[in-house]
Amino acid sequence: MQKAITPALTRAHMTLGHDRIAGYAVRAEDVSFATTPAQLFEVHGLGYPGTPFSPYAQSIDILRFESSSHLQYRDVPGYIVPLWWLRHSRIPPGAELVRVFADGTLILLARYGHVGTGWSVTQPGAHRPSLASLSRCVGPVAKWHGAYLEADVIDDDHSVILALANPPLSETGFRQAPSGRWYRQVRRDDVSELFELDLTARWNGLDVRVVDQWQDSQRYVVARISHLGDDVERAERLRLDRIEAGVYESIVYAAELTDIQTNQVVPHTWAAGPAQRAWA
């Protein structure tokens, strides 16, 4: 798959270590003929109101990644290639951020290894990205040796990467990535549970997904929410931040959320686990 990345998100990925994506994507094979910014602007449908993209730009950044169960086909009239919708997700392991220039050439800007290593910037002289905070609300979670850890699934679902923000207190076998995060690779069979949390709620009548939670300086619990569904007009009225076409997010007090539901979700490619529902 591939999706166009806004200049703001490119900066976030390459400087802050931002490891999330959401929005419209296309199959790379469907748009293999698009090799210039003008062509990419067309096939990715980037001419939406307020777009930061231009068909006359000297370059456009593209994220290329393996397909995942988070993708849903969207029948959008008027588009020349099939569009797929990607809900707010952690970037899949092995994704690459490339820059395509007007003459059809491209360069690799950065590569995302997995949750343990994060981004590696490939351009000479570039600074190493900061380390994004881990969130158990987005991305795989594994139960290993009685503890729940943020994780990634690799090697065709045969291996699991376990990640820690701090050095492990007692477990051995973890190593520290250049990013500063600690990680260990284990076999899928060594993990007793493997799932993703899907924490949904309503905020002022809007269906949202909670993608982060933390305490502010006054110890109030705040949440970052991502808009679900197609109620774009309500999202606009509520003044959520528009990240890109169809992607709206905001930071709110957790006490403002209603109809909260928590599910453990297991994609069908993973072995049977404690899921309450499964993606097909």
Side-chain angles (χ1 to χ4, degrees):
M1 303 298 294
Q2 70 178 46
K3 76 180 308 295
I5 301 297
T6 67
L9 281 177
T10 290
R11 290 191 295 272
H13 292 319
M14 296 188 64
T15 61
L16 303 178
H18 183 62
D19 60 357
R20 313 289 183 79
I21 50 172
Y24 289 104
V26 299
R27 290 182 297 199
E29 63 179 346
D30 290 341
V31 297
S32 59
F33 61 89
T35 58
T36 67
Q39 293 170 332
L40 290 168
F41 183 91
E42 183 71 16
V43 299
H44 280 275
L46 303 179
Y48 53 87
T51 178
F53 298 100
S54 168
Y56 309 108
Q58 290 300 306
S59 64
I60 283 183
D61 296 342
I62 297 293
L63 186 73
R64 294 176 174 171
F65 57 97
E66 292 294 327
S67 181
S68 77
S69 51
H70 290 285
L71 288 159
Q72 295 179 329
Y73 174 73
R74 287 289 180 92
D75 184 11
V76 182
Y79 283 87
I80 62 175
V81 296
L83 285 176
W84 300 76
W85 178 258
L86 179 65
R87 66 185 305 180
H88 185 115
S89 308
R90 190 190 300 145
I91 292 175
E96 294 183 337
L97 181 61
V98 301
R99 178 162 292 168
V100 181
F101 294 95
D103 63 0
T105 61
L106 60 84
I107 61 172
L108 176 65
L109 296 177
R111 181 180 288 110
Y112 185 82
H114 48 64
V115 66
T117 57
W119 285 104
S120 297
V121 177
T122 59
Q123 291 305 296
H127 295 290
R128 183 176 301 280
S130 302
L131 193 61
S133 60
L134 290 169
S135 172
R136 203 158 289 179
C137 299
V138 175
V141 175
K143 187 177 182 180
W144 181 76
H145 291 191
Y148 290 97
L149 297 87
E150 285 80 1
D152 259 334
V153 185
I154 61 171
D155 295 340
D156 294 326
D157 303 328
H158 293 125
S159 299
V160 176
I161 298 291
L162 308 173
L164 293 169
N166 300 303
L169 297 178
S170 57
E171 294 288 356
T172 60
F174 282 81
R175 57 176 172 169
Q176 190 174 26
S179 63
R181 189 168 289 165
W182 294 81
Y183 72 97
R184 175 176 176 170
Q185 181 174 328
V186 300
R187 296 182 306 167
R188 170 62 184 92
D189 293 343
D190 294 335
V191 173
S192 58
E193 296 180 26
L194 184 62
F195 57 89
E196 292 197 34
L197 285 178
D198 186 37
L199 180 57
T200 61
R202 289 179 67 82
W203 180 72
N204 288 330
L206 190 72
D207 291 327
V208 299
R209 182 186 180 196
V210 177
V211 296
D212 281 298
Q213 281 189 339
W214 65 91
Q215 285 187 335
D216 65 10
S217 59
Q218 297 180 316
R219 303 188 66 81
Y220 289 106
V221 178
V222 294
R224 184 169 188 87
I225 57 174
S226 181
H227 168 234
L228 294 174
D230 299 313
D231 197 352
V232 173
E233 291 185 2
R234 183 183 290 271
E236 291 274 5
R237 289 198 305 270
L238 292 172
R239 298 184 178 180
L240 271 71
D241 297 327
R242 185 176 69 176
I243 310 302
E244 59 180 84
V247 182
Y248 291 85
E249 299 187 356
S250 187
I251 296 175
V252 303
Y253 287 111
E256 300 173 0
L257 300 173
T258 61
D259 302 321
I260 298 173
Q261 297 186 34
T262 303
N263 292 294
Q264 293 180 358
V265 181
V266 179
H268 75 281
T269 56
W270 296 356
Q276 296 176 3
R277 60 186 177 89
W279 282 318

